[in-house]
Amino acid sequence: QVQLVESGGGLVQAGGSLRLSCAASGRTFSNYAMGWLRQAPGKERESVARISRSGSITYVADSVKGRFTISKDNAKNTVYLQMNSLKPEDTAVYYCAASSRVVPINTREYDYWGQGTQVTVSS
């Protein structure tokens, strides 16, 4: 089992920044690829960013490219999502997730999930 706890969400004005953190406990953190996913009201959950087990390979969705950065600190068992130039359309519940797969492609390929943290961007 892997337990994931997100923090760092909140209310921010458009153009502002937030950094989300996800602290992991349980099994060896470095054995898991990690992802940040989000779900807005009335929409399906979507992948925002993911990072490889070592932290050397990252992916971000086109909708957040150039604004969001994912990073992973295996020594601290923590994954981060730095969000800059936030837009109202970024408003969603953001989830941290862990996958035993080398490259989790979709939301179904994550094995463990955090409880989510709300991000609200006002215009």
Side-chain angles (χ1 to χ4, degrees):
Q1 284 281 4
V2 176
Q3 292 79 42
L4 303 171
V5 179
E6 302 99 334
S7 61
L11 174 64
V12 64
Q13 288 188 334
S17 298
L18 284 174
R19 189 175 83 153
L20 304 183
S21 298
C22 174
S25 61
R27 294 185 176 178
T28 306
F29 183 64
S30 58
N31 287 347
Y32 293 88
M34 301 296 296
W36 285 98
L37 302 95
R38 68 186 181 186
Q39 188 165 20
K43 295 188 177 181
E44 293 187 355
R45 193 171 296 186
E46 62 174 352
S47 178
V48 175
R50 63 174 181 259
I51 190 165
S52 63
R53 296 169 180 174
S54 66
S56 61
I57 302 172
T58 62
Y59 157 86
V60 291
D62 287 343
S63 59
V64 304
K65 195 165 291 183
R67 300 187 297 121
F68 290 13
T69 303
I70 186 171
S71 60
K72 188 174 188 261
D73 188 334
N74 284 336
K76 295 183 177 180
N77 288 357
T78 302
V79 61
Y80 305 97
L81 185 68
Q82 179 66 44
M83 306 186 294
N84 299 328
S85 302
L86 282 160
K87 303 176 181 181
E89 51 263 44
D90 295 319
T91 295
V93 177
Y94 283 71
Y95 297 90
C96 170
S99 175
S100 57
R101 293 162 176 79
V102 175
V103 182
I105 300 299
N106 57 54
T107 61
R108 296 185 300 274
E109 294 184 349
Y110 287 93
D111 304 298
Y112 303 102
W113 293 81
Q115 81 287 354
T117 186
Q118 177 71 46
V119 172
T120 302
V121 184
S122 63
S123 57

